[in-house]
Amino acid sequence: MTAVSFNNVGLKKYVKPSELKEIEPMIDTAESELMNGTGVGSEMRQWLDLPKNYDRKEFEAIKQAAKKIRSDSKILVVIGIGGSYLGARMAIDFLHDSFFNYMPDSRRKDPQVIFAGNSLSASYVHSLIDMIGDRDFSVNVVSKSGTTTEPTIAFRIFRKLLVKKYGAKEAADRIYVSTDAKHGALRQEVKAKGYHSYVIPDGIGGRYSVLCPVGLLPIAVSGVDIDKLMGGAAQAESDLTSHKKIADNDALKYAAYRNILYRKGYTNEIFESYEPNMRYLAEWWKQLAGETEGKDNKGIYPTSACLSTDLHSLGQYIQQGMRNLMETVVKVENAPYNETVPSEKSNLDELGYLQGHTMNFANKKALQAVVIAHTNGGVPDMIVDIKDQTPFTLGYLIYYFEFAIAVSGYLNGINPFNQPGVEDYKNNMFALLGKPGYENLRKEIEAHKND
């Protein structure tokens, strides 16, 4: 099988072949806007050809930096929020064992990669500092502006720890910055302090940034072969940007089907997997879909579940709750590991019918059973089949979803690449925290706080 493919077996009751034909001209227009740069926000499409046109010199520098960090650090603290950390965390979880970050140093080949600056929880930061203890660590801070509240606070704290532990000179040699090429507070600090630095391209927004230095450095530090990751993405670019018709393009099929369903009232999309180390794939996808499509009172609401675990909490609602749900299921054909159900003479646990079978066999049958139950119960199911959990397949999958969701945005007549709603909460937070320049907004908020 190919690295990633689309399966519509769970849609036959819900979408007629004629409907796919009817939406095709709109898909063609949306794809043309994306590919030709005629749609709004076209300046933020640099991710489209990134897998083939990335900066080779910087890519090699990232690999050398990762090698250095692996040699001198037990922990890499990655500081960022939103797209500045979700892609890296997703990839590291997806490509490693579930307990990769919990292994003791004596059993590790590569550093722990831990994330900070993605909340304002002092308890989390305290626990992270306690976990680091006296072990050697480095810091990778990711931010275009260098002034986003959550990561900026975290960077101050961990920079201070580095200086205290190593002194100013060695601390600077343990700080790795991914930021704007010319502007922003972090770029100024790089120039002043001599930190290692990498460029976040102007034409790539946070949720599309995992295949640039934002994601590549921490992913490489974890021991992943980022050449293979980019190779998978490059293959996806070749496959998905050269086929102009839905019939030959599985990413366009996904965009088409989910939008046909959306127009029929299926407004909530549940992203599901059957592997616990794919939870952050869902978190990354939720930001990609939510920030891309949720504008102008439009857009599919993205949510997620990890099955079969969440079947014991959400299964009843999915089966018989409001019929505004559709599902996207990521199915792994070749899981990296397997276990066999042991044989026992006694059958008190009533597992005799499964002994000798593998857990992967049971997991796939659970997926099949759920798809049948949900589609019969009124929930359309889209299945994205992936070959395995390797860097090549993940690179392909990342590009697959980026391409499909961007097309979906244009299909709904919005700018897929901005996020104006995010600025509203930020401005209110700045006002309430007393940031200079927000005094009038603070007065306005205070005046209406009891409304």
Side-chain angles (χ1 to χ4, degrees):
M1 64 176 293
T2 57
V4 178
S5 59
F6 183 83
N7 186 330
N8 69 346
V9 67
L11 297 173
K12 293 180 180 179
K13 290 175 58 177
Y14 302 95
V15 179
K16 300 174 183 177
S18 60
E19 293 175 294
L20 198 62
K21 195 68 177 175
E22 288 161 3
I23 203 172
E24 188 163 11
M26 291 181 278
I27 289 284
D28 289 346
T29 299
E31 185 199 32
S32 176
E33 286 185 294
L34 176 64
M35 294 303 301
N36 298 325
T38 55
V40 291
S42 60
E43 69 279 4
M44 299 303 293
R45 299 176 309 117
Q46 196 172 342
W47 58 271
L48 258 178
D49 65 357
L50 182 68
K52 294 181 180 178
N53 292 331
Y54 60 90
D55 185 330
R56 263 64 178 178
K57 183 177 180 180
E58 184 171 62
F59 190 81
E60 290 303 316
I62 288 170
K63 290 196 287 186
Q64 289 305 310
K67 184 178 180 181
K68 176 182 178 297
I69 294 167
R70 290 199 300 269
S71 71
D72 68 16
S73 300
K74 296 295 184 182
I75 298 170
L76 174 66
V77 180
V78 182
I79 297 174
I81 195 167
S84 294
Y85 96 100
L86 276 173
R89 179 155 189 182
M90 170 272 291
I92 291 168
D93 281 9
F94 183 100
L95 295 170
H96 289 286
D97 296 345
S98 294
F99 300 99
F100 168 77
N101 266 328
Y102 297 93
M103 290 291 183
D105 291 344
S106 60
R107 296 184 59 190
R108 304 187 64 83
K109 294 180 181 178
D110 301 296
Q112 288 176 284
V113 182
I114 307 295
F115 295 85
N118 47 51
S119 78
L120 290 170
S121 170
S123 297
Y124 180 90
V125 170
H126 173 82
S127 298
L128 176 51
I129 293 171
D130 188 55
M131 186 273 290
I132 293 172
D134 63 357
R135 292 185 292 166
D136 289 317
F137 73 102
S138 295
V139 167
N140 173 211
V141 58
V142 184
S143 173
K144 264 192 176 181
S145 67
T147 58
T148 305
T149 305
E150 295 91 340
T152 303
I153 290 174
F155 185 40
R156 280 199 178 194
I157 291 169
F158 286 97
R159 180 177 55 205
K160 182 179 178 180
L161 285 176
L162 283 171
V163 172
K164 181 180 179 181
K165 183 176 178 66
Y166 299 106
K169 184 177 180 180
E170 187 176 346
D173 194 42
R174 287 177 172 269
I175 294 174
Y176 301 79
V177 176
S178 297
T179 190
D180 188 87
K182 298 179 181 178
H183 308 292
L186 275 176
R187 181 52 62 189
Q188 293 180 43
E189 195 162 346
V190 165
K191 292 177 180 177
K193 303 289 181 64
Y195 303 150
H196 307 276
S197 70
Y198 313 95
V199 174
I200 304 175
D202 289 338
I204 297 179
R207 59 189 176 275
Y208 291 87
S209 67
V210 62
L211 296 175
C212 77
V214 169
L216 292 177
L217 178 58
I219 293 169
V221 169
S222 79
V224 170
D225 186 334
I226 58 174
D227 286 289
K228 292 180 180 178
L229 184 75
M230 294 300 283
Q235 185 63 55
E237 181 185 341
S238 293
D239 292 348
L240 302 178
T241 62
S242 59
H243 295 145
K244 302 300 182 183
K245 297 298 180 182
I246 293 176
D248 300 317
N249 190 318
D250 278 5
L252 293 183
K253 287 178 189 175
Y254 174 56
Y257 276 113
R258 66 195 294 272
N259 277 281
I260 291 169
L261 292 168
Y262 172 52
R263 285 153 176 75
K264 291 185 173 187
Y266 298 98
T267 56
N268 290 20
E269 183 175 2
I270 309 176
F271 186 95
E272 297 169 354
S273 71
Y274 282 71
E275 294 293 341
N277 68 348
M278 290 168 62
R279 282 186 182 275
Y280 267 86
L281 175 64
E283 296 302 314
W284 171 81
W285 173 88
K286 283 193 287 188
Q287 186 195 10
L288 179 68
E291 278 195 351
T292 296
E293 298 182 293
K295 296 155 198 170
D296 299 337
N297 299 317
K298 302 174 185 176
I300 300 165
Y301 180 77
T303 185
S304 64
C306 183
L307 307 183
S308 62
T309 304
D310 289 339
L311 288 173
H312 295 261
S313 57
L314 297 175
Q316 174 60 40
Y317 187 93
I318 296 171
Q319 188 68 38
Q320 294 183 324
M322 289 182 65
R323 300 298 78 185
N324 64 344
L325 305 177
M326 56 175 151
E327 295 173 313
T328 292
V329 183
V330 175
K331 176 186 173 186
V332 183
E333 185 60 33
N334 301 303
Y337 304 106
N338 209 349
E339 293 289 340
T340 301
V341 179
S343 297
E344 295 181 359
K345 290 182 179 180
S346 170
N347 194 34
L348 288 175
D349 56 13
E350 300 181 359
L351 276 182
Y353 70 100
L354 276 179
Q355 60 188 30
H357 286 292
T358 66
M359 289 187 71
N360 286 340
F361 167 82
N363 209 19
K364 287 181 179 180
K365 293 302 180 185
L367 186 156
Q368 184 181 358
V370 170
V371 169
I372 293 169
H374 288 181
T375 54
N376 287 343
V379 181
D381 267 57
M382 295 169 283
I383 300 174
V384 177
D385 286 306
I386 65 173
K387 183 178 180 180
D388 48 34
Q389 288 184 241
T390 60
F392 183 93
T393 294
L394 180 59
Y396 198 111
L397 188 65
I398 288 167
Y399 196 90
Y400 174 97
F401 280 126
E402 288 178 344
F403 187 78
I405 296 297
V407 169
S408 286
Y410 281 130
L411 194 61
N412 283 300
I414 52 92
N415 181 347
F417 305 118
N418 66 353
Q419 50 277 342
V422 174
E423 301 307 316
D424 291 342
Y425 99 81
K426 285 184 179 180
N427 290 335
N428 289 342
M429 183 173 68
F430 291 152
L432 292 172
L433 288 172
K435 185 173 182 177
Y438 291 82
E439 293 81 6
N440 290 337
L441 180 56
R442 182 177 182 180
K443 290 177 183 177
E444 183 180 331
I445 292 171
E446 291 292 335
H448 294 91
K449 67 180 180 180
N450 295 320
D451 289 356

